[in-house]
Amino acid sequence: MKRYFPLIILLGCAAAFALGIVYLFDLRFEAGDVYPPYSSLRADPLGTMALYEGLERIPDLAVSRDFSSSDTMPMEPRSLYLHLGGDTARLDELPDDAYQAIENFMIRDGRLVIALYPQTEDFYSYPAENKKMTRSKTDKKDQDSDDNHYHWTRLEDKWGFHTGFEKLEPDGDTYAPATVYNQTGLALPDTLHWHSGIIFTNLEHAWRVIYARDGNAVVIERHFGRGSVVIASDSYLLSNEAMLKDRHADLLAWLVGPAKNVVFDEAHFGIVQSSGVAGLMRKYRLQGLIAGLILLAGLFVWKHSFSLVPPLEEKRLERFIAGKDSAAGFANLLRRYIAPRDLLAACFGEWKKSFTRNGTQFSARFQRAEAIFATENAAGGSSPIETYKTITETLGTQNQKL
């Protein structure tokens, strides 16, 4: 048990380290600050999780998130699609198939709400001449290329509006929110605190201005078939912070409208669900197979780390000699099959046979050695080793005389 103690300590430290890492990641994902601002997966002030969970509690209202990478819209009737924290670049260029899907969604009776990321500085805009030049070069490139059939639609031109910017008043290191006013007879708040300098200009007559700032629209609405689209230049009114400090339930109810199905768009944040190996395993419920493979791998490692057969007892191991060459193997055989008291007799007999096989006559030194062996063996007093030494010394002396 003592020799496994360091391994147990190492495994315990590794498990504690892994649990610590999981706990840190759990804290980050619970707060949601790993997600982009105005994501419904984010629980801090910049997220919209409070709105998502609040809508979930409304009876007969289905709420979900869109993680698909394809430009598809909900097919359920009376659906609301929330595109929060949007970028003005998405209004400038949109693929034709995505635009067609949006228009079909609204014609069916869908409601689209686009709330832009609040801008406090005019860093997103650039001269209109540069916009036209860039767009014309892109169009020419698309027309000249035989392989490129991907066309784009400008929502501003298609729907008849443009975006501009009106500065916010500085307030120390930040900016003070502007006051926007209700321009309709709807049962909505008379004023709102607005945290974005983006405004909408050059509106077509089909648009209705809901809120405006100094005569410039910041929330607009337009009907398409049985559906409608609402564009707001600020997403703050839907954030977690606004739900706590500046909540307007009547405005939220107007945005949701008669919808029975609400979908939060998460795909435009880059949060998409890919059909990888893990997704396929979850889809076909292969969790049990994976658990079995992990168990099999653990047994394989355990088998090669620890022997499943109990070790031999030390007493049994003492009866064997590990041989490394032929001489060691021969010595091992002698120990197994010839008793120590019979070893000298066996060796002398084999030496005696060698004379007969070689046709050698028994010489005087052979007869002398045989007499010494017979004498010592009959006496039974000397050990085999002493008898062997006496024979070798006698044979050696006689050999010198010859």
Side-chain angles (χ1 to χ4, degrees):
M1 183 63 183
K2 291 183 178 180
R3 62 175 181 175
Y4 298 133
F5 186 73
L7 180 60
I8 296 174
I9 295 296
L10 180 62
L11 292 177
C13 293
F17 178 76
L19 289 176
I21 295 295
V22 171
Y23 179 71
L24 290 178
F25 274 99
D26 185 62
L27 289 179
R28 290 295 304 276
F29 280 97
E30 183 179 357
D33 56 353
V34 295
Y35 300 106
Y38 303 104
S39 168
S40 63
L41 299 170
R42 189 162 178 161
D44 68 342
L46 289 177
T48 57
M49 182 180 288
L51 176 62
Y52 181 91
E53 294 181 351
L55 294 176
E56 275 189 321
R57 297 179 181 179
I58 300 177
D60 301 328
L61 184 63
V63 185
S64 60
R65 297 182 175 95
D66 181 14
F67 297 109
S68 63
S69 57
S70 59
D71 296 323
T72 57
M73 300 295 289
M75 299 301 296
E76 295 82 359
R78 300 171 65 182
S79 294
L80 169 65
Y81 196 80
L82 293 174
H83 182 91
L84 308 180
D87 188 1
T88 54
R90 295 285 293 178
L91 304 178
D92 191 38
E93 290 184 348
L94 192 69
D96 283 353
D97 53 353
Y99 171 76
Q100 194 61 46
I102 292 174
E103 193 170 85
N104 294 336
F105 165 74
M106 292 186 295
I107 292 175
R108 287 195 308 266
D109 72 356
R111 184 171 175 83
L112 173 64
V113 174
I114 301 175
L116 301 179
Y117 188 91
Q119 302 288 350
T120 56
E121 296 182 0
D122 192 15
F123 64 88
Y124 75 95
S125 63
Y126 46 94
E129 292 78 7
N130 293 344
K131 280 188 176 182
K132 294 179 181 179
M133 185 180 300
T134 304
R135 185 66 244 171
S136 62
K137 289 181 179 179
T138 306
D139 291 341
K140 187 177 185 301
K141 181 179 179 181
D142 291 343
Q143 292 174 2
D144 294 341
S145 176
D146 295 333
D147 299 329
N148 189 0
H149 301 286
Y150 206 59
H151 301 288
W152 299 82
T153 298
R154 286 175 57 94
L155 285 183
E156 293 184 353
D157 295 340
K158 197 74 174 179
W159 287 351
F161 72 96
H162 290 86
T163 56
F165 187 84
E166 187 176 346
K167 292 183 179 180
L168 299 175
E169 294 296 329
D171 184 14
D173 296 335
T174 60
Y175 292 88
T179 302
V180 298
Y181 298 89
N182 185 358
Q183 303 295 307
T184 69
L186 299 174
L188 298 175
D190 294 333
T191 60
L192 296 174
H193 295 297
W194 214 248
H195 297 75
S196 176
I198 301 176
I199 58 175
F200 303 116
T201 62
N202 301 328
L203 299 176
E204 289 186 355
H205 296 293
W207 288 100
R208 179 171 65 160
V209 178
I210 307 300
Y211 282 93
R213 170 193 170 195
D214 299 330
N216 297 313
V218 294
V219 180
I220 54 179
E221 181 186 27
R222 180 175 177 175
H223 290 274
F224 287 86
R226 294 182 297 171
S228 60
V229 57
V230 176
I231 305 179
S233 63
D234 187 8
S235 294
Y236 173 80
L237 72 159
L238 302 174
S239 66
N240 297 330
E241 184 178 2
M243 295 297 106
L244 177 64
K245 299 179 180 179
D246 194 17
R247 181 173 63 252
H248 298 281
D250 44 2
L251 178 61
L252 298 176
W254 174 77
L255 287 175
V256 174
K260 295 297 182 182
N261 179 52
V262 179
V263 180
F264 284 73
D265 181 15
E266 297 290 338
H268 77 284
F269 292 124
I271 308 173
V272 296
Q273 186 177 14
S274 59
S275 58
V277 176
L280 292 175
M281 288 191 298
R282 287 193 297 269
K283 179 180 179 181
Y284 294 103
R285 300 179 181 180
L286 299 178
Q287 294 89 341
L289 175 62
I290 300 303
L293 293 177
I294 294 176
L295 178 61
L296 183 62
L299 292 176
F300 178 80
V301 174
W302 179 49
K303 177 181 178 298
H304 287 75
S305 301
F306 305 96
S307 176
L308 299 178
V309 180
L312 296 176
E313 299 178 0
E314 295 183 0
K315 293 182 179 180
R316 295 179 61 189
L317 292 175
E318 291 177 355
R319 296 173 57 185
F320 302 94
I321 298 177
K324 297 183 179 179
D325 51 18
S326 59
F330 179 70
N332 193 17
L333 289 175
L334 291 179
R335 288 195 176 189
R336 287 187 180 185
Y337 298 106
I338 300 178
R341 62 178 180 272
D342 299 331
L343 181 61
L344 183 61
C347 293
F348 187 81
E350 292 296 326
W351 182 62
K352 182 177 179 181
K353 291 178 182 179
S354 64
F355 281 88
T356 305
R357 287 194 298 268
N358 296 333
T360 307
Q361 298 293 328
F362 294 108
S363 59
R365 65 189 188 95
F366 173 79
Q367 295 176 357
R368 177 60 180 168
E370 188 175 17
I372 295 173
F373 175 75
T375 302
E376 296 293 339
N377 192 29
S382 301
S383 65
I385 297 177
E386 295 297 331
T387 305
Y388 173 77
K389 288 182 178 180
T390 303
I391 294 174
T392 54
E393 289 175 357
T394 302
L395 294 179
T397 303
Q398 290 187 0
N399 191 31
Q400 291 177 359
K401 291 180 179 180
L402 293 177

